[in-house]
Amino acid sequence: MAAAAGVFSAAAGVAACGGFGGGSPSDRPAGGQPTSGQPADVIIVNARVWTVDASRPEAEAVAIHGDRITAVGSGAEVARSRGPNTRVVDAGGRFVMPGFNDAHIHLMTGGAQLDSVDLKDAATPEEFARRIGERAKGAAKGQWILGGNWDEQGWPGAPLPTRALVDAVTPNTPIFVTRYDEHMSLANSVALRLAGVTAATPDPPGGVIVRDAKGNPTGILKDAAQAYVFKVVPPPTAEQRARTLRRALGHMASLGVTSVQDMGPDPDDVAIYEALASRGELTARIRAVPAEVPLAERLPSGPVRHHPSAFLRVSGAKGFADGSLGSTTALFFEPYTDDPASRGLLADEMQPLDGMRARLVAIDKAGEQLCIHAIGDRAISIVLDLFEDVRRANGPRDRRPRIEHSQHLAPKDFERYAQLGAIASVQPYHAIDDGKWAEKRIGAERAKTTYAFRSFLDNRVRVAFGTDWPVAPLDPMQTIYAAVTRATLDGKRPGGWVPEQKVTVAEAIVACTMGAAYAEFEEGNKGSISVGKLADLVMLSGDPFRVAPEAIAGLKVAMTMAGGKVVYERR
Ligand SMILES: [Zn+2]
């Protein structure tokens, strides 16, 4: 837990920085009192502290007692909190800011990905097979190898992989590795045998078993056919789940992520979060947001069970209004530019709409926050209609309904969005990733209000940044870089895709801290370095305000602190 000297050695001075504004005045917490008159456990000195607190945007030092911040100010001011046993951390002039809060992730899927074989950049079929073989060697008997995120498009001639490619290196290990878009997976012969898939197995509705000239399965199962194998993959044991969670927590700490909002988790995973929370093993704060359909089913049998603690809460409800842009299932008012026959699809749970409305009204009445996935402009518009219906049914209150992704907004809806107090829970990395091809799909006009972070802020809509990890990297520096530069990953738009929608570094940092805290009703505890708040802090290797925008993505975390404890240090 002690800070290693190496990290804090440099003694660069702390220079003042003009125009270094804090969050908006309304971002200020309800007010923190020093939690004790006792000496601090830790003081961080000689830091360039960016507080995200408008009442004091910058400081040099921070004092911590227990898990809370007890003083923020100049070195001299904070020195008053120093006692005989206070540990002094010299930040060496480094940039210190509130811990990152990722407003939208899939915690266990992300953790599982860290543990699975990484095939995304395997440049040839041989390399693909070699990596799987390596992995199989280290696997326990009968343990499945899943995930992988493979992409054959970079291979010479782009052939689909086959089980013949991997059978020799996986004689006893079932493998079922999935293409990065999740629309097809490769099974080896062991996996096909366990699933009972043979030449005689019919293609299921909505799925295809790819077959060779003799009619035998090649191992590739497309869309609904993947279920043949997935249904025989044993669910992970509690022990495996705990291991996955620990992997994810380690990854978060290394990236300065001290809070995450986990969308639609498996209830069996939430039980593992509780187990680790009760043993004091969580190093990042988890807010689990259950799926709305099962939540609504449970409501009549009594109040929703909560597990509030400093590191774990279960609250809110996650729903779906439409699909995704990549699969042309995001729902738009007008047809897709590259598929004039389609406007996208309303999600299953939205049909019939009366059913969705009744569930959302009931969930809101129980006091839960609504977090609804909507990507296309029409889906977003319908969700705003539903939010209006909910308000009409249950009366006004501070409900902060959220639209997850909020990718493509009809210009007419910004004002209504703000009036409803809806929160835009957005993932800037998608803008630089999907931005490579999105305009072909939706055209230049709709692109103007796509990933419209600037327009949201200008219309006084609260914005919370997240990543949708593992769909995008969990690293908040990539998120800030994406929001500030909008430079697409293919390097073709270095000046930014729809540059009018760029935000500043300061605004991006607010969205990753206070914005995300507000989006989970935690702005009194988190989101800024303020007296009385939780001591969740991050120290960076460089200063995002003083490096070139292109260099922000390369900044690293030097130290992460959660609840006053060091949970990560860079060596
Ligand atoms: Zn998601």
Side-chain angles (χ1 to χ4, degrees), residues 55-257:
S55 70
R56 178 153 204 165
E58 290 175 77
E60 294 169 352
V62 181
I64 296 158
H65 181 78
D67 67 349
R68 299 272 166 177
I69 294 163
T70 52
V72 183
S74 67
E77 284 167 322
V78 171
R80 284 186 231 127
S81 303
R82 188 170 174 174
N85 298 317
T86 300
R87 188 159 65 86
V88 178
V89 174
D90 184 346
R94 281 191 174 82
F95 189 86
V96 171
M97 58 170 283
F100 292 105
N101 184 337
D102 192 313
H104 183 127
I105 70 161
H106 301 281
L107 178 47
M108 295 297 267
T109 326
Q113 192 111 313
L114 293 174
D115 252 341
S116 78
V117 58
D118 181 10
L119 302 171
K120 183 83 194 270
D121 62 350
T124 61
E126 293 70 32
E127 175 62 12
F128 170 93
R130 193 193 64 76
R131 290 187 191 183
I132 290 172
E134 276 302 302
R135 189 71 206 191
K137 265 192 239 160
K141 192 170 182 304
Q143 190 195 325
W144 284 73
I145 294 176
L146 303 165
N149 275 338
W150 52 269
D151 181 5
E152 82 295 351
Q153 285 300 316
W155 300 351
L160 284 176
T162 64
R163 64 193 162 104
L165 189 62
V166 294
D167 274 349
V169 292
T170 57
N172 303 306
T173 305
I175 75 153
F176 196 49
V177 288
T178 301
R179 191 170 191 272
Y180 77 98
D181 67 355
E182 299 188 354
H183 285 282
M184 60 177 105
S185 300
L186 174 71
N188 67 349
S189 294
V190 179
L192 288 181
R193 194 159 58 239
L194 290 169
V197 173
T198 66
T201 309
D203 289 352
V208 173
I209 299 170
V210 176
R211 301 164 201 268
D212 64 17
K214 292 184 185 144
N216 292 315
T218 67
I220 290 286
L221 304 180
K222 294 188 174 179
D223 289 308
Q226 297 175 100
Y228 284 139
V229 175
F230 278 132
K231 69 171 187 260
V232 299
V233 177
T237 63
E239 204 175 301
Q240 285 167 337
R241 289 176 199 267
R243 197 172 59 219
T244 299
L245 177 54
R246 288 193 185 99
R247 270 299 293 264
L249 288 166
H251 189 56
M252 288 175 202
S254 74
L255 297 170
V257 177

Side-chain angles (χ1 to χ4, degrees), residues 260-274:
V260 293
Q261 303 179 45
D262 185 27
M263 292 294 145
D266 180 336
D268 290 339
D269 287 336
V270 177
I272 301 299
Y273 305 166
E274 288 185 292

